[in-house]
Amino acid sequence: MQQDRIMDAIAEIVNIGIGDAAAAFSELTHSPIQIQVPDILLLDTSEIPDYFKDEIKSLGVFISQDFEGVIEGKTILFYTRQSSMSLLNLLYPDTFSPSSLSESGKSVLQEIGNIILVSCISTISNVLEGRFVFKMPQVTEEASHGVFLDLVASLGKYEKSIVVKNTIRVKGRAIDGYIFILLGFKGFKTMVEKIMKDRR
């Protein structure tokens, strides 16, 4: 029961951040954009490789961003390669080649990642009544399961992961992606205690 209440509270916060990101996208592209969240999971970071292997079967693009402040952590946004190119061409028609990810395409994905990831973490910072400093997001192209394994293996200090499946809906199309919010156990505990205290 307590676990359900914690997940409900986390989902509420994440959805606020996702809503802020959708509003920012709509303003940036002058197109109505919705970002839906069909599923949110709480996993130990050690479980992420198996989850990723079961969920995702193709190469893709990772946009990762570190943050620090009242708590520290790392966020990773993942789209398959096909989803990345579809997203770029829906947001900016006739701009990008459908067959390759150019440097300008990477820059746009970096901006997309920055909007989504900062929106989610800023909502958490508001709950914690503290400030975060965000590092520049990094784009990793054509990432395989092995690349993701290496990435997760390097994040041993972040024991907890919030996994957010999300769907961007724009111009009649739906593009699926994944957000991973990685936190150390102490930071996660701080966040949960504050969330639950505010909900009493």
Side-chain angles (χ1 to χ4, degrees):
M1 186 66 176
Q2 178 74 357
Q3 182 77 1
D4 291 342
R5 292 179 62 228
I6 290 172
M7 286 308 303
D8 287 345
I10 290 174
E12 182 178 327
I13 291 171
V14 168
N15 276 297
I16 291 171
I18 290 293
D20 291 344
F25 268 139
S26 297
E27 185 175 342
L28 182 68
T29 62
H30 307 290
S31 298
I33 293 175
Q34 293 181 317
I35 306 179
Q36 298 173 332
V37 179
D39 197 17
I40 298 178
L41 301 172
L42 177 60
L43 300 175
D44 291 336
T45 300
S46 60
E47 299 176 278
I48 292 296
D50 286 340
Y51 170 84
F52 190 82
K53 185 177 181 180
D54 290 341
E55 277 282 320
I56 301 165
K57 307 299 183 184
S58 62
L59 296 176
V61 177
F62 294 107
I63 304 118
S64 60
Q65 187 169 31
D66 296 307
F67 62 90
E68 57 187 24
V70 60
I71 60 176
E72 67 172 302
K74 188 180 191 75
T75 51
I76 303 170
L77 179 62
F78 174 85
Y79 293 108
T80 64
R81 185 184 180 284
Q82 181 179 1
S83 293
S84 298
M85 298 308 302
S86 296
L87 181 59
L88 288 173
N89 285 292
L90 282 170
L91 294 176
Y92 302 97
D94 304 319
T95 302
F96 300 102
S97 166
S99 60
S100 63
L101 184 59
S102 63
E103 288 302 316
S104 59
K106 290 181 185 179
S107 295
V108 172
L109 288 175
Q110 193 175 55
E111 184 178 8
I112 289 171
N114 190 62
I115 290 172
I116 293 177
L117 299 177
V118 169
S119 294
C120 288
I121 302 305
S122 292
T123 306
I124 294 174
S125 75
N126 291 337
V127 170
L128 294 175
E129 300 175 337
R131 295 183 64 184
F132 286 125
V133 176
F134 298 92
K135 296 185 179 180
M136 183 68 68
Q138 303 296 316
V139 178
T140 303
E141 181 186 1
E142 303 287 32
S144 66
H145 180 249
V147 171
F148 190 74
L149 283 178
D150 291 341
L151 177 60
V152 172
S154 69
L155 301 174
K157 64 180 178 179
Y158 302 130
E159 295 94 346
K160 289 294 183 180
S161 298
I162 301 168
V163 183
V164 184
K165 294 181 68 172
N166 63 97
T167 301
I168 296 179
R169 296 191 178 276
V170 55
K171 299 178 181 178
R173 293 281 300 279
I175 299 172
D176 296 327
Y178 297 80
I179 300 170
F180 301 87
I181 302 174
L182 309 174
L183 301 170
F185 182 78
K186 183 178 179 181
F188 177 77
K189 184 172 181 287
T190 297
M191 181 186 74
V192 168
E193 287 176 348
K194 177 61 176 173
I195 290 172
M196 301 313 292
K197 180 179 178 182
D198 289 347
R199 288 172 70 90
R200 287 174 186 167

